[in-house]
Amino acid sequence: DTGVSQDPRHKITKRGQNVTFRCDPISEHNRLYWYRQTLGQGPEFLTYFQNEAQLEKSRLLSDRFSAERPKGSFSTLEIQRTEQGDSAMYLCASSSLTSGRALSGELFFGEGSRLTVL
Amino acid sequence: DAKTTQPPSMDCAEGRAANLPCNHSTISGNEYVYWYRQIHSQGPQYIIHGLKNNETNEMASLIITEDRKSSTLILPHATLRDTAVYYCIVRALTGANSKLTFGKGITLSVRP
């Protein structure tokens, strides 16, 4: 499968602990996005990268959240000192600016990492 | 905030056409209309997009009104596997409005 992969798929943690999610985008996709989705809501934009540069961050991304994409390939999203309100599905998506389908602006999503904070 | 409004839910019979409406009265000239869907426990999946002309692909058809203030996604022969949340999104391809901003979408239930 050469789609977007996310790890872990499920994470249960206690309040105050740190968690890290990893996203492996489709090979050679230069844009990578993080979204958060809570029950009954649509995905909310958190941040996105073009190659290794983080170009935009939502105000939802508090100081406890940090995202990196050090070599322009995979990305990590770390949440420090987790709170119960952080419980959500964290979705990663990637897109390409250079492939033939890039003009469609299509984002390819992974299946998400579900976080439960107890 | 999402720039589209959709009814919260609708249903249709299997094998019949599903017509999903969307209002986007404040759409800008450089913004496209995108549709994504999200099947339970999966990530969103791209369906189709358009600027002002009607579009059709293997999944669906997109009908955009002449004034571009509304659109309809048509699934010509709905199946049970089409049960999902469908999101209508307006988006520019470049610039500040180029990210996807999701609303709550419309939940389509296809009944046998």
Side-chain angles (χ1 to χ4, degrees):
Chain A
D1 190 313
T2 57
V4 177
S5 64
Q6 295 189 243
D7 183 72
R9 293 291 311 280
H10 303 274
K11 178 71 176 179
I12 301 174
T13 191
K14 293 182 178 179
R15 186 164 51 95
Q17 297 295 304
N18 299 342
V19 296
T20 299
F21 301 113
R22 175 179 170 126
C23 171
D24 286 272
I26 292 172
S27 180
E28 306 204 355
H29 272 193
N30 40 21
R31 282 198 170 179
L32 186 147
Y33 302 77
W34 285 100
Y35 283 79
R36 179 176 71 186
Q37 185 173 28
T38 54
L39 196 62
Q41 304 296 316
E44 297 172 294
F45 170 80
L46 292 178
T47 188
Y48 91 93
F49 294 83
Q50 183 163 311
N51 300 313
E52 66 275 12
Q54 189 172 17
L55 295 188
E56 186 175 349
K57 293 194 293 186
S58 164
R59 63 182 183 276
L60 295 175
L61 213 65
S62 76
D63 291 346
R64 297 184 298 105
F65 288 69
S66 63
E68 295 183 346
R69 194 182 183 200
K71 297 182 180 179
S73 56
F74 73 92
S75 176
T76 58
L77 177 68
E78 180 183 16
I79 309 174
Q80 297 182 326
R81 305 181 303 281
T82 53
E83 302 173 355
Q84 289 184 326
D86 297 331
S87 295
M89 175 77 82
Y90 291 85
L91 292 160
C92 176
S94 69
S95 68
S96 172
L97 293 176
T98 56
S99 75
R101 293 179 75 173
L103 294 179
S104 77
E106 178 180 353
L107 268 62
F108 296 81
F109 283 83
E111 298 204 341
S113 294
R114 181 169 295 284
L115 173 65
T116 301
V117 182
L118 303 176
Chain B
D1 292 337
K3 296 176 65 175
T4 63
T5 55
Q6 302 176 256
S9 64
M10 68 176 290
D11 63 18
C12 76
E14 189 177 19
R16 304 298 295 268
N19 298 297
L20 285 69
C22 180
N23 288 322
H24 31 80
S25 58
T26 61
I27 191 170
S28 300
N30 67 337
E31 289 179 321
Y32 290 70
V33 179
Y34 281 78
W35 284 83
Y36 278 72
R37 74 177 182 185
Q38 188 172 24
I39 296 170
H40 183 62
S41 296
Q42 297 183 18
Q45 175 192 21
Y46 166 86
I47 301 173
I48 198 168
H49 78 287
L51 184 62
K52 55 184 179 180
N53 297 323
N54 297 338
E55 302 288 344
T56 295
N57 63 19
E58 66 278 6
M59 292 182 69
S61 295
L62 174 60
I63 308 298
I64 303 174
T65 58
E66 192 169 343
D67 64 6
R68 302 210 320 127
K69 293 185 176 181
S70 65
S71 60
T72 301
L73 180 74
I74 301 172
L75 307 179
H77 306 286
T79 71
L80 298 179
R81 288 175 294 181
D82 292 323
T83 292
V85 179
Y86 287 77
Y87 298 98
C88 172
I89 301 165
V90 295
R91 175 196 184 209
L93 286 184
T94 59
N97 293 326
S98 62
K99 60 182 180 289
L100 290 177
T101 301
F102 291 81
K104 291 189 177 182
I106 178 172
T107 299
L108 173 67
S109 299
V110 180
R111 61 181 187 276

